[in-house]
C-alpha cells in the first residue's frame, strides 16, 4: 500500500514451530491486506466516500451540518474495519494450517503473531500470543516513556483462563516452575502450552486456545519515536524500558533490532546459565524520517539541560 508499512514477529513453538512461523510470515500479511481491501471496496460501493484514506480523521466535517463524522467516530470506524480484517485473516490463516496436514503437523505446534501496520499517521497493532509491541514516545519536556501496546496472552490472565476452562481445557503450572501457567488437554498432561492464543496448536482449538487477535489503533503523535516488536524471549528477561533504552543507545537505526536481540540473549546466558536461550527476535519500526543520530543527540541534550531527565 502506498505510504504503508507492515512489520511482524512470529515466534514458533512445538516440534514444527519453525515451519509454522515461516508459513504464517509468508501468508498472513497478504491475507490481512486482502481482507482489508475487500472491506474497503465493499464500503466504497455502499458510499461514494472511501472507507480508508491517508487523510487525518480530523479533516472530517464536525460543523453539525451532517457533512461528515467526528474525528472520534472516524477513528472508531477505522479500528472496527481493521479489527474485522485482522480477525478474518487470522482465522483464515489458522484454517490454512489445518489444510497443510499431514505435510505439516500442527497438532501441538503453532506460532504467535504480533503485527504493526502503519498507513500515513494511523497505526494498527494486532497481537496473538505472548510476543509484544512496545512504543517509545517522548514528551515535549524530553521525558522518554515506554508504552506497552499489546497484552501478553498468558493462560494466567483471568479472562483467558476462564475461556479455556469453559471449553474443557485445564490451566495449571508445573511444580518446578510455579509461576508459569500452561494449557493442558482435558484428559492428558499434554501439551503444556504457555500461551492462551495462537495460530496452529490444532488439538487445543476445541479447548479454548483461539486464533483471535486483539487489535488496537493509535494516531502517531509528534513525540512517538519507534515501536519494538519482539518475542517473549526478549520480554522474559528485559523490561520495556530496558529495550527502549537499548534502541536509543544504538547510533544507527539498522542496528537497533540486532542490538535488542543480542542483549536479550546475553541476559539469558547470564541469568540462566544452565538453560537453553529462548528465541530472541525483534523488529524496530521507526516512526520518524529524520536522521536517528540527530534525534538521539537532541533528546540527550534536552535531558542534560534538565528538561525532564530523559531517564526512567
Amino acid at each position: 500500500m502506498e505510504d504503508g508499512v507492515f512489520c511482524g514477529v512470529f515466534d514458533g513453538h512445538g516440534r514444527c514451530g519453525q515451519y509454522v512461523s515461516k508459513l504464517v510470515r509468508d501468508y498472513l500479511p497478504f491475507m490481512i491486506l486482502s481482507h482489508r481491501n475487500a472491506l474497503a471496496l465493499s464500503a466504497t460501493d455502499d458510499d461514494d466516500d472511501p472507507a480508508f484514506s491517508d487523510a487525518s480523521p480530523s479533516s472530517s466535517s464536525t460543523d453539525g451540518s451532517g457533512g461528515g463524522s467526528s474525528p472520534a467516530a472516524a477513528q472508531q470506524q477505522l479500528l472496527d474495519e481493521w479489527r474485522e480484517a485482522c480477525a478474518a485473516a487470522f482465522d483464515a490463516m489458522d484454517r490454512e494450517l489445518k489444510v497443510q496436514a499431514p505435510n505439516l503437523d500442527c497438532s501441538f505446534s503453532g506460532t504467535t503473531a504480533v503485527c504493526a501496520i502503519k498507513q500515513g499517521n494511523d497505526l494498527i497493532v494486532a497481537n496473538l500470543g505472548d510476543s509484544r509491541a512496545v512504543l517509545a514516545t517522548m514528551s515535549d519536556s524530553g521525558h522518554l516513556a515506554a508504552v506497552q501496546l499489546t497484552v501478553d496472552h498468558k493462560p494466567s490472565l483471568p479472562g483467558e483462563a476462564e475461556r479455556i476452562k469453559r471449553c474443557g481445557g485445564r490451566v495449571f503450572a508445573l511444580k518446578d516452575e510455579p509461576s508459569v501457567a500452561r494449557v493442558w488437554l482435558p484428559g492428558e498432561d499434554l501439551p503444556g502450552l504457555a500461551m492462551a492464543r495462537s495460530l496452529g496448536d490444532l488439538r487445543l482449538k476445541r479447548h479454548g486456545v483461539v486464533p483471535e487477535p486483539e487489535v488496537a489503533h493509535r494516531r502517531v503523535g509528534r513525540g512517538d519515536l519507534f515501536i519494538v516488536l519482539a518475542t517473549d524471549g526478549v520480554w522474559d528477561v528485559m523490561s520495556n524500558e530496558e529495550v527502549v533504552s537499548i534502541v536509543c543507545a544504538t547510533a544507527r537505526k539498522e542496528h537497533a533490532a540486532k542490538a535488542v536481540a543480542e542483549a536479550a540473549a546475553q541476559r539469558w546466558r547470564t541469568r540462566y546459565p544452565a538453560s537453553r536461550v529462548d528465541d530472541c527476535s525483534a523488529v524496530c519500526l521507526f516512526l520518524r524520517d529524520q536522521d536517528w543520530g540527530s534525534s538521539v543527540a537532541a533528546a540527550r541534550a534536552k535531558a542534560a539541560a534538565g528538561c525532564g531527565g530523559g531517564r526512567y
Side-chain angles (χ1 to χ4, degrees):
M1 298 171 69
E2 185 178 352
D3 195 28
V5 177
F6 179 96
C7 292
V9 167
F10 310 100
D11 186 13
H13 55 264
R15 186 172 61 85
C16 298
Q18 60 177 322
Y19 305 109
V20 177
S21 61
K22 288 178 181 178
L23 191 68
V24 172
R25 176 199 65 187
D26 293 343
Y27 280 86
L28 185 63
F30 170 76
M31 288 180 168
I32 293 174
L33 185 58
S34 295
H35 282 279
R36 183 64 190 87
N37 286 342
L39 284 172
L41 183 61
S42 175
T44 303
D45 289 341
D46 294 338
D47 192 334
D48 291 335
D49 294 328
F52 182 86
S53 72
D54 292 344
S56 167
S58 62
S59 64
S60 303
S61 171
T62 56
D63 60 4
S65 62
S69 59
S70 68
Q75 289 191 21
Q76 184 59 49
Q77 179 186 358
L78 177 69
L79 174 58
D80 289 343
E81 291 170 351
W82 275 108
R83 181 179 286 129
E84 183 178 349
C86 289
F90 276 64
D91 183 66
M93 186 72 250
D94 202 56
R95 284 186 279 109
E96 177 62 27
L97 292 175
K98 296 178 184 177
V99 173
Q100 294 296 320
N103 296 325
L104 183 62
D105 184 2
C106 298
S107 299
F108 295 125
S109 295
T111 185
T112 69
V114 58
C115 309
I117 303 163
K118 184 177 181 293
Q119 180 72 32
N121 287 323
D122 288 299
L123 182 68
I124 301 296
V125 179
N127 182 55
L128 176 80
D130 57 4
S131 293
R132 185 185 302 174
V134 170
L135 169 74
T137 185
M138 182 173 289
S139 67
D140 291 338
S141 63
H143 175 73
L144 190 63
V147 180
Q148 186 168 322
L149 300 178
T150 58
V151 174
D152 301 343
H153 294 135
K154 300 288 192 180
S156 56
L157 294 178
E160 303 294 313
E162 180 182 353
R163 182 189 66 247
I164 292 166
K165 293 175 181 177
R166 190 169 60 246
C167 295
R170 297 180 297 155
V171 176
F172 63 87
L174 298 173
K175 291 182 178 180
D176 58 349
E177 47 176 13
S179 63
V180 182
R182 296 181 180 275
V183 183
W184 310 85
L185 288 172
E188 302 177 73
D189 287 341
L190 290 171
L193 184 65
M195 66 192 72
R197 304 189 191 193
S198 70
L199 292 168
D201 297 303
L202 302 182
R203 287 281 304 278
L204 289 169
K205 282 293 148 64
R206 291 180 296 173
H207 303 295
V209 175
V210 296
E212 180 182 353
E214 285 192 292
V215 183
H217 168 260
R218 181 184 178 96
R219 291 286 290 177
V220 177
R222 65 178 182 177
D224 295 342
L225 300 177
F226 57 86
I227 297 172
V228 179
L229 311 178
T231 62
D232 66 317
V234 172
W235 308 112
D236 282 348
V237 294
M238 305 185 75
S239 68
N240 297 343
E241 291 76 15
E242 286 177 310
V243 169
V244 166
S245 294
I246 289 171
V247 175
C248 287
T250 306
R252 298 175 65 88
K253 288 191 289 188
E254 55 266 34
H255 297 160
K258 184 177 181 181
V260 169
E262 290 181 345
Q266 182 56 46
R267 181 72 61 85
W268 271 91
R269 287 189 286 267
T270 302
R271 184 175 297 179
Y272 307 110
S275 300
R276 180 182 63 87
V277 175
D278 195 9
D279 176 72
C280 298
S281 299
V283 167
C284 297
L285 172 61
F286 290 85
L287 304 174
R288 297 296 167 191
D289 294 331
Q290 69 263 32
D291 178 70
W292 176 242
S294 299
S295 299
V296 173
R300 289 173 177 168
K302 271 189 177 182
C307 300
R311 297 191 174 212
Y312 301 100

